[in-house]
Amino acid sequence: HMDVQQFLFRPGQVFAQFLFGLGRQTALLSARALRYDPYRQNAEKRLTRYFSWQWRSQPELDLGNSYSVESLLETLGDGVDHNPRYAQRVRDRFEKILERLQADQVLASWQYLDWDESRCQDRGWFADWLQSMVRVAAPQNIVDHYRQTPQLGLSKELPLGERVRAMRKKLDLNFAQLGQHLGIHRTAIARVERQERQPKAELVEKLEKW
């Protein structure tokens, strides 16, 4: 017999860093991703994590982003077959995933921006569909969270490295996370912050835009 009066527990490593600070709202999406079945709902899990990092990595208040269908399919990986021989099945699966995320309040809404439904009657429509754009809106709690976050107001007169470091710290991102978001190797970002060498124009453009 055990006379148990209470249980003491601590959050695991997955959640602990998000309970306080700027990332606590986006952590809700990461937590929701863990609820999806890793075998039957792996695609939903991957896309939820992808969107949570996308919204966490940008300081803008307008959190409705546009993505090409092809880029989202690449994010889904093996969770969705990309074979053009099964074009309609691929599209049905893709849209079903987005509808599930909207129903689960991972997304507020999604819609095609430039896709003409009549193209489905044309031969080779699959290639055009892959290049079409999808507009995805963040859930309201994420939008409200960022609206309440004070903006840095960094002066353009400050060196690029200082501005990148300040924004990265504000969003609580490490070099690897920011590099993954921007498609830049983490060491390149570290060099920019430390002002070790003059970065290439392409790198400067990416960081300035971010």
Side-chain angles (χ1 to χ4, degrees):
H1 176 71
M2 294 178 62
D3 185 16
V4 179
Q5 297 180 350
Q6 62 179 319
F7 288 98
L8 302 179
F9 60 92
R10 294 185 300 174
Q13 185 177 3
V14 175
F15 304 113
Q17 61 181 318
F18 300 118
L19 289 178
F20 304 99
L22 296 174
R24 62 185 183 275
Q25 290 295 332
T26 46
L28 297 176
L29 299 185
S30 297
R32 194 164 291 145
L34 294 177
R35 300 177 187 173
Y36 290 122
D37 187 284
Y39 300 103
R40 298 180 180 179
Q41 299 174 310
N42 185 50
E44 288 84 350
K45 180 188 293 287
R46 290 173 66 97
L47 205 55
T48 298
R49 286 175 170 166
Y50 176 74
F51 286 138
S52 70
W53 283 112
Q54 286 283 307
W55 292 324
R56 189 176 175 217
S57 301
Q58 59 182 7
E60 296 87 355
L61 294 180
D62 178 13
L63 297 180
N65 284 5
S66 299
Y67 308 89
S68 70
V69 171
E70 187 172 30
S71 67
L72 293 179
L73 284 176
E74 290 175 355
T75 300
L76 293 174
D78 297 333
V80 175
D81 188 2
H82 303 177
N83 194 332
R85 293 177 56 187
Y86 310 106
Q88 190 58 52
R89 187 167 71 183
V90 173
R91 181 186 170 188
D92 290 344
R93 173 69 173 130
F94 174 77
E95 293 179 352
K96 185 177 180 180
I97 291 170
L98 291 177
E99 289 169 0
R100 175 61 187 271
L101 296 189
Q102 182 175 347
D104 291 344
Q105 298 182 337
V106 173
L107 310 176
S109 63
W110 71 274
Q111 62 181 346
Y112 290 110
L113 293 181
D114 54 357
W115 173 246
D116 185 353
E117 196 62 31
S118 63
R119 295 184 194 175
C120 288
Q121 307 301 321
D122 301 335
R123 188 173 182 179
W125 65 268
F126 187 71
D128 293 336
W129 176 72
L130 288 177
Q131 301 306 314
S132 63
M133 302 299 294
V134 176
R135 182 76 169 178
V136 176
Q140 191 60 45
N141 61 337
I142 301 295
V143 176
D144 292 342
H145 168 71
Y146 278 98
R147 282 177 178 164
Q148 295 168 6
T149 301
Q151 301 301 304
L152 284 181
L154 294 173
S155 171
K156 287 280 188 177
E157 296 179 359
L158 292 174
L160 176 62
E162 291 186 19
R163 287 183 281 134
V164 171
R165 180 186 293 109
M167 188 62 70
R168 182 176 63 80
K169 294 292 186 181
K170 173 195 171 187
L171 298 173
D172 194 23
L173 299 173
N174 59 35
F175 292 126
Q177 291 163 347
L178 178 55
Q180 183 180 16
H181 174 67
L182 297 177
I184 301 172
H185 197 276
R186 59 185 180 183
T187 57
I189 299 174
R191 291 193 188 103
V192 170
E193 289 194 9
R194 291 195 292 261
Q195 304 179 49
E196 292 182 352
R197 65 181 66 174
Q198 181 64 32
K200 294 182 179 180
E202 181 181 2
L203 177 57
V204 171
E205 182 180 357
K206 277 189 176 182
L207 291 172
E208 288 285 3
K209 183 178 180 180
W210 175 72

